[in-house]
Amino acid sequence: MKCLITGVAGFIGSHLAEKLVELGYQVVGIDCFTDYYPRAIKERNLANLLNQKQFTFIEANLVSVRAEDFQPLLDVDYIFHQAAQAGVRASWGTTFASYTENNILATQRLLEAIKTYQPSNLKRLIYASSSSIYGDTDILPMKEDNRLQPISPYGVTKLAAEHLCYLYWKNFGIPTVSLRYFTVYGPRQRPDMAFHKFITAMLKQEPVIIYDDGNQTRDFTYIADIIHGNILAMEKGRPGQAYNLGGGHRVTLNDLLDLLDELIGMKSKRVYQEKQKGDVRDTLADTTKANIELGFQPSFDLKQGLTNQIESIKKANPNDKTQISNKSLNQ
């Protein structure tokens, strides 16, 4: 059995690739190393995979891949579409073009290639959606049939790509399944994400910046639970459907920092700043559908997951200049 993972060098994509290799799958990973955060970090994410015979890496951008080069990429049983331009706060203004290109156009090109070449082995395309598509809602927990009204340009592009997955299933029978992730954390989390920034600042005894009053809440989901949800969706997800993947615990940022104080063994220096445009006040996933149809049940609590992430950050070597060799589509 063979899988294709787009965005394989990222936080979630690299963990997913490692798990699939561990389970015995042949994995082809593709990534274009956007400059949203340093390439060296993504190269370290791939370091263990590059030693695996079951793993092949291709450096390429889905938007610029030649049409004829898509066909061999699609000779797989499962596709995990993780590639995206991340970041809510960075999605405003002139940078929006990179979100439309990497989130919407890249998804459309992948789906169009599948429609054109009709790979006979393809059983599922799992799309990595986001809780950002729900926007600011008073209806908690968030259910899959809630009104979808994102309040950030990033959320708009993630919703547009999810709609593309649905319409290519509805019109052409492509077996797409969308997974709506709720604030994923754990080892190798992106450096722009809150947990990574909080932990790093505390370890350096620097101020922790909090936007708004700290009483906003999030449903945090540990990386291993997200990976397990992807595997379940690969096996049991109903084409055309969307599923929430959440951690099952809604926590205020202030309470989160209290927990980090306990785990790290120091009092955080908290600096509160103005709320950022596009940030929602609260999130909480209703995972009933994922539980019933997929068998999804998060198994990591916040204390356990944060302990793992703290240890990972402590061990990280920011001066690592790992270089990777890869296969080019043009070779």
Side-chain angles (χ1 to χ4, degrees), residues 85-136:
Q85 182 68 36
V88 168
R89 295 168 190 155
S91 62
W92 300 96
T94 57
T95 60
F96 183 60
S98 65
Y99 287 80
T100 58
E101 177 174 305
N102 292 306
N103 296 356
I104 301 175
L105 182 57
T107 302
Q108 187 270 343
R109 287 215 69 211
L110 177 61
L111 291 165
E112 190 67 18
I114 295 170
K115 176 180 78 75
T116 300
Y117 295 112
Q118 299 184 13
S120 58
N121 293 336
L122 186 63
K123 300 173 180 64
R124 297 283 192 287
L125 185 154
I126 311 297
Y127 168 65
S129 189
S130 167
S131 62
S132 296
I133 70 174
Y134 288 107
D136 240 345

Side-chain angles (χ1 to χ4, degrees), residues 64-105:
S64 56
V65 171
R66 298 178 304 184
E68 59 268 27
D69 289 326
F70 262 111
Q71 189 167 12
L73 286 177
L74 304 178
D75 183 23
V76 294
D77 299 278
Y78 301 98
I79 296 174
F80 295 87
H81 184 33
Q82 298 288 327
Q85 182 68 36
V88 168
R89 295 168 190 155
S91 62
W92 300 96
T94 57
T95 60
F96 183 60
S98 65
Y99 287 80
T100 58
E101 177 174 305
N102 292 306
N103 296 356
I104 301 175
L105 182 57

Side-chain angles (χ1 to χ4, degrees), residues 126-275:
I126 311 297
Y127 168 65
S129 189
S130 167
S131 62
S132 296
I133 70 174
Y134 288 107
D136 240 345
T137 177
D138 295 328
I139 303 173
L140 296 173
M142 296 165 167
K143 298 183 178 181
E144 287 85 354
D145 58 0
N146 277 18
R147 181 181 177 186
L148 304 176
Q149 44 189 6
I151 62 168
S152 68
Y154 166 77
V156 168
T157 61
K158 293 299 287 185
L159 179 56
E162 184 178 313
H163 281 326
L164 282 169
C165 289
Y166 175 81
L167 71 86
Y168 272 81
W169 166 74
K170 188 70 174 178
N171 289 281
F172 304 109
I174 296 175
T176 63
V177 176
S178 294
L179 300 179
R180 297 171 182 172
Y181 299 163
F182 281 70
T183 313
V184 189
Y185 73 101
R188 300 206 296 261
Q189 188 188 45
R190 294 196 324 268
D192 65 298
M193 297 185 75
F195 282 14
H196 190 282
K197 293 170 74 173
F198 292 167
I199 295 167
T200 301
M202 290 179 66
L203 292 175
K204 293 180 178 179
Q205 299 185 1
E206 296 175 349
V208 172
I209 306 301
I210 305 167
Y211 297 105
D212 207 354
D213 59 8
N215 290 316
Q216 63 268 43
T217 64
R218 292 291 182 273
D219 187 344
F220 299 110
T221 319
Y222 188 63
I223 181 64
D225 288 326
I226 287 292
I227 300 308
H228 184 53
N230 273 268
I231 301 301
L232 291 171
M234 175 179 78
E235 298 168 348
K236 303 176 183 178
R238 282 195 295 138
Q241 296 298 304
Y243 301 91
N244 289 334
L245 295 186
H249 38 251
R250 183 165 67 113
V251 182
T252 70
L253 291 191
N254 286 326
D255 287 342
L256 166 72
L257 286 166
D258 288 342
L259 179 56
L260 285 176
D261 288 350
E262 173 190 335
L263 295 174
I264 295 176
M266 67 178 65
K267 183 68 176 177
S268 53
K269 305 171 185 178
R270 307 178 192 184
V271 177
Y272 295 88
Q273 297 186 357
E274 183 180 0
K275 178 182 177 180

Side-chain angles (χ1 to χ4, degrees), residues 5-57:
I5 301 177
T6 69
V8 73
F11 167 39
I12 299 174
S14 59
H15 278 281
L16 179 58
E18 288 177 351
K19 185 62 178 180
L20 289 168
V21 167
E22 177 188 321
L23 292 173
Y25 290 89
Q26 295 288 327
V27 177
V28 176
I30 185 170
D31 205 293
C32 66
F33 295 103
T34 60
D35 60 2
Y36 184 67
Y37 60 97
R39 177 182 177 122
I41 294 175
K42 300 176 187 178
E43 291 180 338
R44 288 197 299 271
N45 291 345
L46 293 178
N48 292 331
L49 285 163
L50 294 170
N51 296 321
Q52 304 293 324
K53 293 181 180 179
Q54 294 165 243
F55 179 75
T56 302
F57 177 71

